């Protein structure tokens, strides 16, 4: 059986060595040595101005929105072609999601669709670097600047991606990275928020630790979203290998391209000049292929190969949001269409070329 993903892990001994001192210090969380070390390493790797670690990427999004101090029912323009987390972070913060459609070529927010959605309640834009494809940052940020909006990128997929040498962490007002076990870089569970404003950072640090700002001083109704020393230690170890892991992913990605390009009705991910990609996912759009996306998933499954309808359904088609906000998924036709045709194939650093070929072969065999 081949799973759709397989977590990257450092050699066992490296992790054991990294956590050894925790048995002496007995300092297991609350910003200890491992936390500080990982923070510094990540700041350097991502070229991040300011960085705050979190229990997971989702909470980084929620705290990022809360730290902005928006009011109830303020609006955030986002995209429906994403993991539920992007939209739930908005809803759970008492804000209203407003959906802009995506572009057909790279599935990121269509900047041309944004301005028409701005109202006097709009406070922020929350685009997603889907599959590690960087958004049209210049256009989106120009619109944000013109209307005084905060730009928070969901960069959960974009770890290690650069555009003309500029890190994905350097766009907008803030960016969230997820370090979940299935992502390109993982701390088992974990995430980070990258931002520019140091004052904002102070508030985030307090919010993720019960609102504590000093001795006997509680300045905010904070929660708990701290990263533990054990998770930080996993990150320290994994970060030392992440470039090798990305290279291994690249080999699989390129093998898929080699095998599948030319197949009629299979749209494959494109490489863009100037972009250092992280090869996080291999999304294939079944558009006029001999079998549908759902049939392809079934065929692969019969052969013990797991694939994922990533993303289906679009978040604006989920009844949990649709009813309350009177959302119509037909208003974002491209997102709706892609969600019905896209399948992500297995891709992880340790995947063999034999497996990559076997998966490609099963798909190609369906061609009539
Ligand atoms: C993984 C992911 C998240 C959530 O991150 P967690 O670290 O799992 O909480 C949010 N948005 C997108 C697009 C993701 O892929």
């Amino acid at each position: 059986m081949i799973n759709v993903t397989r977590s990257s892990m450092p050699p066992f001994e490296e992790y054991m060595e990294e956590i050894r001192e925790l048995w002496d210090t007995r300092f297991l969380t609350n910003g200890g040595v491992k936390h500080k070390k990982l923070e510094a390493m990540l700041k350097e790797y991502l070229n991040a101005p300011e960085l705050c670690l979190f229990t997971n990427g989702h909470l980084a999004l929620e705290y990022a929105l809360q730290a902005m101090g928006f009011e109830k029912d303020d609006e955030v323009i986002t995209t429906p072609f994403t993991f539920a987390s992007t939209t739930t972070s908005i809803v759970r913060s008492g804000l209203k999601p407003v959906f802009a459609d995506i572009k057909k070529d790279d599935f990121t927010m269509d900047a041309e669709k944004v301005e028409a959605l701005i109202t006097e309640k709009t406070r922020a834009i929350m685009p997603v670097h889907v599959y590690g494809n960087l958004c049209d940052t210049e256009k989106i940020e120009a619109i944000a600047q013109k209307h005084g909006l905060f730009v928070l990128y969901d960069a959960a997929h974009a770890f290690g991606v650069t555009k003309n040498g500029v890190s994905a962490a350097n766009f907008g007002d803030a960016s969230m990275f997820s370090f979940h076990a299935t992502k390109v870089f993982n701390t088992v569970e974990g995430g980070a928020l990258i931002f520019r404003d140091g004052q904002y950072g102070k508030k985030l640090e307090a919010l993720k630790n019960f609102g504590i700002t000093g001795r006997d001083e509680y300045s905010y109704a904070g929660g708990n979203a701290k990263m533990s020393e054990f998770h930080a230690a996993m990150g320290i170890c994994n970060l030392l290998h992440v470039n090798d892991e990305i290279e291994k992913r690249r080999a699989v990605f390129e093998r898929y391209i080699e095998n599948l390009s030319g197949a009629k009705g299979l749209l494959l991910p494109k490489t863009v000049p100037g972009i250092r990609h992280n090869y996080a996912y291999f999304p294939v759009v079944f558009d006029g292929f001999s079998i549908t996306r759902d049939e392809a998933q079934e065929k692969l499954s019969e052969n013990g190969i797991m694939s994922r309808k990533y993303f289906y359904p679009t978040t604006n088609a989920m009844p949990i949001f649709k009813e309350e906000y009177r959302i119509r998924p037909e208003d974002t036709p491209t997102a709706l269409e892609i969600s019905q045709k896209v399948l992500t194939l297995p891709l992880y650093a340790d995947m063999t070329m034999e497996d990559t070929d076997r998966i490609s072969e099963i798909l190609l065999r369906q061609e009539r």
Side-chain angles (χ1 to χ4, degrees), residues 157-176:
H157 293 179
F159 192 88
V161 178
T162 65
K163 178 154 124 185
N164 300 323
V166 178
S167 160
N170 281 286
F171 300 109
D173 296 290
S175 297
M176 177 282 280

Side-chain angles (χ1 to χ4, degrees), residues 12 51 72 96 105 110 123 128 132 155 183 188 192 194 209 271 296 317 325 330 337 364:
F12 182 69
L51 181 146
K72 190 164 167 13
K96 181 185 169 194
D105 57 347
D110 185 348
R123 298 289 175 267
V128 184
K183 303 297 203 285
V188 187
I194 317 285
N209 188 28
T271 37
Y325 300 103
E330 307 81 52
E337 183 192 342
L364 293 176

Side-chain angles (χ1 to χ4, degrees), residues 1 4 11 14 18-19 33 53 113-114 131 142 155 189-190 204 206 226 242 256 261 296 338 348:
M1 199 186 99
V4 69
E14 282 183 32
E18 194 61 48
I19 61 173
V33 288
L53 293 174
K113 301 280 161 60
V114 173
Y131 308 130
E189 289 271 8
L204 282 173
K226 302 185 297 290
V242 75
Y256 269 136
S261 57
I338 300 297
Y348 45 86

Side-chain angles (χ1 to χ4, degrees), residues 63 76 104 137 164 168 241 265 274 323 347:
Y63 282 78
V76 179
K104 214 161 185 164
T137 54
N164 300 323
H241 299 281
E323 313 301 316
L347 173 57

